[in-house]
Amino acid sequence: MEVEGITVQLTMIQFELLALLDQRMRREADVPAAVRGFVSSHEILASLSWDTSAPDDNHLKQLVRRIRRLFERAGLPSPIDSRQRFGYRLGFVPAR
């Protein structure tokens, strides 16, 4: 993935999560910014191709933490926002 001219190497599941959050953000273009683009933990756990038969919240939290750390090391802001009871979303509005 290339962000602001910087290449970030993602695993398949990392890419899947960012793609899911991107799709939701784009689909909810008419939703107020405060709640736009959030995907629940339950939906994320059910949507991604995990390498375990019973993924849980800890798996998701670790995945998000790894993505945030990867972007931080590349000198980029975190691509993921989280809010209790809402879930996760992209930390920016994707360009068209």
Side-chain angles (χ1 to χ4, degrees), residues 41-91:
S41 297
H42 177 75
E43 186 177 344
I44 294 170
L45 289 169
S47 298
L48 303 185
S49 55
W50 298 93
D51 61 356
T52 181
S53 60
D56 60 25
D57 282 335
N58 286 327
H59 290 98
L60 177 54
K61 288 176 184 177
Q62 289 175 13
L63 175 61
V64 170
R65 187 174 19 249
R66 287 191 304 266
I67 293 171
R68 286 176 173 160
R69 193 175 316 133
L70 183 65
F71 274 66
E72 182 181 306
R73 286 183 189 146
L76 296 166
S78 173
I80 301 174
D81 286 343
S82 59
R83 188 179 304 164
Q84 196 168 17
R85 293 190 297 270
F86 281 86
Y88 298 87
R89 71 174 177 181
L90 282 181

Side-chain angles (χ1 to χ4, degrees), residues 1-12:
M1 165 181 260
E2 188 170 315
V3 180
E4 298 179 3
I6 299 172
T7 301
V8 179
Q9 185 71 34
L10 301 172
T11 64
M12 181 57 86

Side-chain angles (χ1 to χ4, degrees), residues 24-45:
R24 180 64 53 87
M25 185 66 82
R26 290 176 189 274
R27 191 170 66 222
E28 293 185 353
D30 58 339
V31 174
V35 294
R36 178 181 178 188
F38 280 100
V39 181
S40 71
S41 297
H42 177 75
E43 186 177 344
I44 294 170
L45 289 169

Side-chain angles (χ1 to χ4, degrees), residues 11-29:
T11 64
M12 181 57 86
I13 196 164
Q14 290 170 338
F15 180 80
E16 287 177 2
L17 176 56
L18 291 175
L20 176 64
L21 299 178
D22 176 67
Q23 290 169 358
R24 180 64 53 87
M25 185 66 82
R26 290 176 189 274
R27 191 170 66 222
E28 293 185 353

